Amino acid sequence: MSVTLLALPYDAGALAPHLSRASVQLHHAHHHRIFAETVRTAVTGTALERASLEDIIVETAGRQAQAGLFQAAAETWNHNFYFRSMRPGGGAPSGLLAKMIDRRFGGFDGFSRAFVAAATGLIGSGWAWLVVERGSLAIRTTANSDTPIAFGETPLLGLDLWEHAYVLDHQGRRADYVRAFLKSLANWEFAGDNLDRLLDQAAVPMRASFAETTRR
Ligand code: MN
């Protein structure tokens, strides 16, 4: 069985004061754990029992009869990705990713403004993402439990916009939470690694075309 709850890659208190130990512990040990256990229970004894989380998501996406399993699998994947999208102290994009952000958004400030606007513009619960879609950087939001990997997009960084993620530490003020994420929590090394992995898997011309794009 390949569906597992990701261990937090840092101490639960390490993201304070932006996200408190109590908030991170509740989020990880309660919300996240329930989704992972739901997936495990739902696939046991079925054809998907040995499938990866990614395969379960792709297999069940858009199928009404499997909406519950899709939701739990997507939430598990999204949370695994979200907790790795943060690290104590945050940082800044570097290398090729930084050049791509400059090229696409006119710099990190432009990217930050667009990310905050997208995240605060999402009505209700969901997720904000920096993704690669058809060879280009894009900011996406997905509603509720939806996930970019169901649409063939490759996330580089993801942020949980469900109120449970920020109600304790930001009194439900989503914009404050998103700004704190960008300024003090975002793990750009993780984002860069995700970009590298995509480029390594993709056809060689993709890396060449990115390099070309950023040289202009
Ligand atoms: Mn959550």
Side-chain angles (χ1 to χ4, degrees):
M1 182 64 237
S2 42
V3 177
T4 51
L5 182 77
L6 173 93
L8 275 181
Y10 34 74
D11 182 80
L15 304 180
H18 314 289
L19 291 176
S20 63
R21 175 183 296 277
S23 173
V24 172
Q25 270 176 345
L26 184 71
H27 200 171
H28 182 261
H30 178 67
H31 294 282
H32 188 19
R33 180 178 301 280
I34 287 172
F35 288 123
E37 285 172 359
T38 300
V39 176
R40 229 173 280 139
T41 304
V43 300
T44 299
T46 76
L48 291 172
E49 183 161 1
R50 293 179 184 283
S52 69
L53 198 49
E54 289 82 355
D55 286 345
I56 293 170
I57 289 167
V58 171
E59 280 296 312
T60 57
R63 296 189 179 179
Q64 198 53 44
Q66 293 189 295
L69 175 54
F70 171 80
Q71 183 185 5
E75 285 283 348
T76 303
W77 194 94
N78 286 356
H79 280 93
N80 281 347
F81 197 84
Y82 165 64
F83 286 116
R84 284 180 294 161
S85 291
M86 298 186 288
R87 73 169 176 199
S94 62
L96 178 61
L97 179 55
K99 287 180 192 158
M100 289 170 66
I101 286 173
D102 286 349
R103 177 80 191 165
R104 174 71 179 79
F105 300 101
F108 188 72
D109 286 351
F111 160 76
S112 296
R113 278 194 298 275
F115 193 86
V116 171
T120 55
L122 176 77
I123 308 287
S125 296
W127 301 80
W129 308 91
L130 174 63
V131 303
V132 177
E133 180 215 15
R134 289 196 288 275
S136 172
L137 285 186
I139 293 169
R140 287 273 174 272
T141 56
T142 55
N144 300 314
S145 306
D146 242 339
T147 180
I149 67 167
F151 309 116
E153 298 173 354
T154 303
L156 303 183
L157 215 54
L159 181 62
D160 191 339
L161 298 179
W162 287 65
E163 203 174 46
H164 64 235
Y166 57 95
V167 67
L168 285 180
D169 300 312
H170 299 275
Q171 291 76 50
R173 290 190 297 264
R174 187 185 285 178
D176 291 356
Y177 160 66
V178 178
R179 287 194 191 97
F181 169 76
L182 291 171
K183 188 164 183 278
S184 307
L185 297 174
N187 187 347
W188 288 102
E189 202 175 293
F190 175 65
D193 288 348
N194 290 326
L195 177 63
D196 280 345
R197 199 169 308 117
L198 172 67
L199 294 174
D200 286 346
Q201 289 166 358
V204 172
M206 190 167 170
R207 186 181 286 275
S209 110
F210 275 153
E212 182 57 36
T213 301
T214 54
R215 255 201 306 273
R216 265 181 256 151

PDB file of all heavy atoms in Angstrom, residues 27 31 79 127 160 162 164, ligand 1:
ATOM      1  N   HIS A  27      -3.612  20.348  12.212  1.00  0.00           N
ATOM      2  CA  HIS A  27      -3.763  20.213  10.762  1.00  0.00           C
ATOM      3  C   HIS A  27      -3.186  18.889  10.281  1.00  0.00           C
ATOM      4  O   HIS A  27      -3.795  18.172   9.495  1.00  0.00           O
ATOM      5  CB  HIS A  27      -3.058  21.394  10.081  1.00  0.00           C
ATOM      6  CG  HIS A  27      -3.497  21.651   8.692  1.00  0.00           C
ATOM      7  ND1 HIS A  27      -3.115  22.754   7.978  1.00  0.00           N
ATOM      8  CD2 HIS A  27      -4.297  20.945   7.851  1.00  0.00           C
ATOM      9  CE1 HIS A  27      -3.659  22.715   6.784  1.00  0.00           C
ATOM     10  NE2 HIS A  27      -4.364  21.632   6.671  1.00  0.00           N
ATOM     11  N   HIS A  31      -6.661  16.589  10.496  1.00  0.00           N
ATOM     12  CA  HIS A  31      -7.232  16.711   9.144  1.00  0.00           C
ATOM     13  C   HIS A  31      -6.532  15.787   8.155  1.00  0.00           C
ATOM     14  O   HIS A  31      -7.165  14.995   7.460  1.00  0.00           O
ATOM     15  CB  HIS A  31      -7.108  18.159   8.640  1.00  0.00           C
ATOM     16  CG  HIS A  31      -7.927  19.127   9.425  1.00  0.00           C
ATOM     17  ND1 HIS A  31      -9.283  19.254   9.261  1.00  0.00           N
ATOM     18  CD2 HIS A  31      -7.583  20.013  10.385  1.00  0.00           C
ATOM     19  CE1 HIS A  31      -9.743  20.169  10.091  1.00  0.00           C
ATOM     20  NE2 HIS A  31      -8.732  20.656  10.785  1.00  0.00           N
ATOM     21  N   HIS A  79      -2.120  17.719   0.852  1.00  0.00           N
ATOM     22  CA  HIS A  79      -1.512  18.001   2.154  1.00  0.00           C
ATOM     23  C   HIS A  79      -0.061  17.533   2.209  1.00  0.00           C
ATOM     24  O   HIS A  79       0.784  18.216   2.787  1.00  0.00           O
ATOM     25  CB  HIS A  79      -2.330  17.370   3.288  1.00  0.00           C
ATOM     26  CG  HIS A  79      -3.539  18.170   3.676  1.00  0.00           C
ATOM     27  ND1 HIS A  79      -4.784  17.944   3.141  1.00  0.00           N
ATOM     28  CD2 HIS A  79      -3.680  19.233   4.516  1.00  0.00           C
ATOM     29  CE1 HIS A  79      -5.644  18.817   3.661  1.00  0.00           C
ATOM     30  NE2 HIS A  79      -5.004  19.613   4.491  1.00  0.00           N
ATOM     31  N   TRP A 127      -7.296  25.600  -2.730  1.00  0.00           N
ATOM     32  CA  TRP A 127      -5.840  25.589  -2.724  1.00  0.00           C
ATOM     33  C   TRP A 127      -5.313  26.606  -3.727  1.00  0.00           C
ATOM     34  O   TRP A 127      -5.936  26.821  -4.765  1.00  0.00           O
ATOM     35  CB  TRP A 127      -5.330  24.199  -3.108  1.00  0.00           C
ATOM     36  CG  TRP A 127      -5.814  23.120  -2.190  1.00  0.00           C
ATOM     37  CD1 TRP A 127      -7.039  22.511  -2.205  1.00  0.00           C
ATOM     38  CD2 TRP A 127      -5.094  22.533  -1.097  1.00  0.00           C
ATOM     39  NE1 TRP A 127      -7.122  21.597  -1.183  1.00  0.00           N
ATOM     40  CE2 TRP A 127      -5.942  21.584  -0.491  1.00  0.00           C
ATOM     41  CE3 TRP A 127      -3.811  22.740  -0.576  1.00  0.00           C
ATOM     42  CZ2 TRP A 127      -5.542  20.838   0.617  1.00  0.00           C
ATOM     43  CZ3 TRP A 127      -3.411  21.989   0.522  1.00  0.00           C
ATOM     44  CH2 TRP A 127      -4.276  21.042   1.110  1.00  0.00           C
ATOM     45  N   ASP A 160      -2.568  25.568   1.227  1.00  0.00           N
ATOM     46  CA  ASP A 160      -3.909  25.198   1.693  1.00  0.00           C
ATOM     47  C   ASP A 160      -4.691  26.475   2.021  1.00  0.00           C
ATOM     48  O   ASP A 160      -4.242  27.285   2.830  1.00  0.00           O
ATOM     49  CB  ASP A 160      -3.761  24.321   2.947  1.00  0.00           C
ATOM     50  CG  ASP A 160      -5.066  23.658   3.376  1.00  0.00           C
ATOM     51  OD1 ASP A 160      -6.141  24.135   2.987  1.00  0.00           O
ATOM     52  OD2 ASP A 160      -4.977  22.663   4.126  1.00  0.00           O
ATOM     53  N   TRP A 162      -8.028  26.249   2.927  1.00  0.00           N
ATOM     54  CA  TRP A 162      -9.155  25.931   3.796  1.00  0.00           C
ATOM     55  C   TRP A 162      -8.992  26.727   5.089  1.00  0.00           C
ATOM     56  O   TRP A 162      -7.876  26.907   5.574  1.00  0.00           O
ATOM     57  CB  TRP A 162      -9.201  24.430   4.104  1.00  0.00           C
ATOM     58  CG  TRP A 162      -9.642  23.581   2.952  1.00  0.00           C
ATOM     59  CD1 TRP A 162      -8.996  23.398   1.768  1.00  0.00           C
ATOM     60  CD2 TRP A 162     -10.837  22.795   2.877  1.00  0.00           C
ATOM     61  NE1 TRP A 162      -9.700  22.545   0.965  1.00  0.00           N
ATOM     62  CE2 TRP A 162     -10.839  22.151   1.609  1.00  0.00           C
ATOM     63  CE3 TRP A 162     -11.905  22.560   3.761  1.00  0.00           C
ATOM     64  CZ2 TRP A 162     -11.868  21.302   1.205  1.00  0.00           C
ATOM     65  CZ3 TRP A 162     -12.922  21.704   3.349  1.00  0.00           C
ATOM     66  CH2 TRP A 162     -12.909  21.092   2.096  1.00  0.00           C
ATOM     67  N   HIS A 164      -9.363  26.016   8.077  1.00  0.00           N
ATOM     68  CA  HIS A 164      -8.689  25.333   9.195  1.00  0.00           C
ATOM     69  C   HIS A 164      -7.172  25.587   9.171  1.00  0.00           C
ATOM     70  O   HIS A 164      -6.505  25.428  10.184  1.00  0.00           O
ATOM     71  CB  HIS A 164      -9.004  23.829   9.223  1.00  0.00           C
ATOM     72  CG  HIS A 164      -8.517  23.056   8.039  1.00  0.00           C
ATOM     73  ND1 HIS A 164      -9.344  22.279   7.252  1.00  0.00           N
ATOM     74  CD2 HIS A 164      -7.284  22.929   7.488  1.00  0.00           C
ATOM     75  CE1 HIS A 164      -8.642  21.711   6.291  1.00  0.00           C
ATOM     76  NE2 HIS A 164      -7.388  22.087   6.409  1.00  0.00           N
TER      77      HIS A 164
HETATM   78 MN    MN B   1      -5.883  21.320   5.243  1.00  0.00          MN
END
